[in-house]
Amino acid sequence: MKRTLLLATVATVVAGSAIAQDNVVNVYNWSDYIAEDTIEKFEAATGIKVVYDVFDSNEVLEAKMLTGSSGYDVVVPTSDFLQRQIAAGAYQPLDKSKLPNLANMDADLMAGAAVYDADNEYATIYMWGTTGIGYNVGAIAERLGEDYEVNSWDLVFNPEIVSKLADCGVTMLDAPTEILPAAMNYLGLDPRSTNKADFEAGAALLESVRPHVRYFHSSQYINDLANGDVCVSVGWSGDVFQALYRAEESENGVEIGYVIPDEGALQWFDMLAIPVDAPHSDNAHTFINFIMDAQITADITNYVWYANGNAASMPMVDPEITSDPGIFPTEAASAKLWSSKVYDARTDRVVTRLWTKVKTGQ
Ligand code: SPD
């Protein structure tokens, strides 16, 4: 009798600890993309432990999603990459009965995201933004004159102009599906074109300015801009604002600006999705639902300076953010934004080959 009880107790303890060990959610998000207390709040509210890992490139995330068995429960692909990965069977449909906070989402923005994921079946919007130009106000004035207005892709694509900035550091995202279309757009070509000749023209332009580019990297520029170590970065809206904020905080005298150039820029959505083989799908839904809480999303936007797709969060978002045209573009600027094109395998190979050539000169 005693022995049976003891065994039962041991069995309960073992089962309990297995549950406790398994009560986790493995999240793979972009770097510098969450408020400092979001994870802590989620763990306190749900008792679920978050294992949090970061990346700074859609290509890196895509390789993991297409290989499978990543172990991640929640990932954050950009909408065009999401569409391709959905087609490859990489994600599971969301169980919307577990996501009551979907009601908080902005219907128009979700409709925009549905272009890549019909009926928002597999994903919901995390944050959105633009790919524009971050710059050091003082360094540009020193080299191009006090009256030079930063409002054009000339700053990075016109060899005569960018050559004058090489000494203070020009950087570009290591994001071929964003930089090549921006170069094509500058040349007057359709940034959504999948015509090989258009990519080649964009790549030729990039090769002509390549000697003046210090590096291609998608996260290092935040600190480098903030510290004054580089002076121009083709970068993501919120990241540049984070650099601006870090510089202000450190009172180092560096003044940062962000511009959506007059010729237009890419607008993108980053999406919360659950891999098809996520080990903790229930916890993934709990995490996504928590993120869609209005206050939690507002806190994230207030910390990372990215626009979000959560209509209910807007009253809690800092007016300094909602009123900034670099974060919430004006109607005139919005009219010139383009959205990502989803590339097929052939186009992808063209882009990858040209990008390698641009970066390495081979
Ligand atoms: N530091 C967070 C950056 C998020 C950028 N998302 C990438 C969008 C690509 N189109």
Side-chain angles (χ1 to χ4, degrees):
M1 168 81 171
K2 252 192 189 162
R3 191 179 139 78
T4 318
L5 236 184
L6 180 67
L7 281 178
T9 312
V10 170
T12 311
V13 169
V14 170
S17 78
I19 288 165
Q21 272 177 30
D22 213 23
N23 202 17
V24 300
V25 61
N26 299 314
V27 178
Y28 195 40
N29 193 3
W30 294 84
S31 49
D32 302 293
Y33 217 26
I34 197 158
E36 54 187 348
D37 58 357
T38 312
I39 301 298
E40 200 181 302
K41 283 186 173 161
F42 173 77
E43 291 181 338
T46 64
I48 300 170
K49 164 116 186 70
V50 179
V51 179
Y52 193 80
D53 202 359
V54 297
F55 61 92
D56 69 1
S57 137
N58 267 307
E59 287 77 7
V60 168
L61 170 63
E62 179 157 281
K64 289 187 198 283
M65 290 303 102
L66 297 185
T67 306
S69 307
S70 66
Y72 294 120
D73 298 303
V74 177
V75 296
V76 192
T78 305
S79 45
D80 47 327
F81 282 79
L82 171 81
Q83 177 173 327
R84 205 160 55 180
Q85 293 157 20
I86 290 172
Y91 295 110
Q92 54 182 273
L94 297 176
D95 179 345
K96 295 189 181 176
S97 71
K98 295 179 182 159
L99 301 173
N101 285 336
L102 271 173
N104 291 338
M105 300 305 288
D106 181 297
D108 288 341
L109 290 170
M110 288 295 272
V115 168
Y116 301 91
D117 165 26
D119 299 327
N120 307 113
E121 192 184 349
Y122 291 89
T124 182
I125 299 172
Y126 181 60
M127 299 280 143
W128 64 269
T130 52
T131 302
I133 305 177
Y135 60 98
N136 179 317
V137 176
I140 300 302
E142 221 173 90
R143 287 160 182 80
L144 300 179
E146 292 289 337
D147 295 334
Y148 186 87
E149 231 187 294
V150 180
N151 54 15
S152 163
W153 286 105
D154 274 341
L155 200 69
V156 290
F157 291 148
N158 180 332
E160 210 177 300
I161 293 178
V162 68
S163 61
K164 297 192 175 126
L165 306 171
D167 73 298
C168 62
V170 175
T171 80
M172 291 189 188
L173 294 168
D174 188 1
T177 63
E178 302 185 44
I179 304 295
L180 276 167
M184 284 148 63
N185 181 67
Y186 180 73
L187 292 172
L189 301 167
D190 178 1
R192 304 186 84 243
S193 165
T194 53
N195 189 324
K196 189 172 168 215
D198 293 346
F199 285 118
E200 284 169 347
L205 172 66
L206 286 167
E207 282 172 56
S208 74
V209 297
R210 174 68 183 94
H212 314 301
V213 176
R214 188 171 294 174
Y215 63 71
F216 293 85
H217 196 279
S218 300
S219 49
Q220 191 184 328
Y221 68 97
I222 306 180
N223 274 334
D224 285 352
L225 266 181
N227 297 336
D229 292 335
V230 303
C231 64
V232 176
S233 291
V234 177
W236 292 312
S237 43
D239 286 6
V240 174
F241 281 91
Q242 288 178 46
L244 182 161
Y245 185 72
R246 286 181 203 177
E248 267 177 21
E249 287 261 281
S250 68
E251 297 182 356
N252 61 3
V254 170
E255 192 189 338
I256 305 289
Y258 176 76
V259 69
I260 298 173
D262 287 350
E263 300 93 340
L266 172 70
Q267 178 186 25
W268 44 261
F269 296 102
D270 285 337
M271 310 297 297
L272 292 163
I274 306 177
V276 67
D277 54 2
H280 312 97
S281 169
D282 270 350
N283 290 352
H285 282 87
T286 306
F287 184 82
I288 291 176
N289 195 55
F290 181 82
I291 294 292
M292 288 190 296
D293 173 86
Q295 185 64 60
I296 294 296
T297 294
D299 291 347
I300 298 173
T301 287
N302 288 336
Y303 192 78
V304 302
W305 302 78
Y306 278 100
N308 67 62
N310 189 311
S313 77
M314 284 307 149
M316 279 90 80
V317 174
D318 195 331
E320 195 190 341
I321 292 180
T322 47
S323 65
D324 196 309
I327 304 173
F328 287 92
T330 61
E331 251 180 63
S334 294
K336 294 203 176 153
L337 298 178
W338 67 83
S339 57
S340 315
K341 179 85 182 163
V342 184
Y343 297 155
D344 60 17
R346 189 197 63 84
T347 307
D348 217 36
R349 277 196 297 278
V350 170
V351 167
T352 306
R353 181 179 56 77
L354 289 171
W355 190 244
T356 307
K357 193 158 170 260
V358 166
K359 286 203 303 179
T360 64
Q362 288 160 20

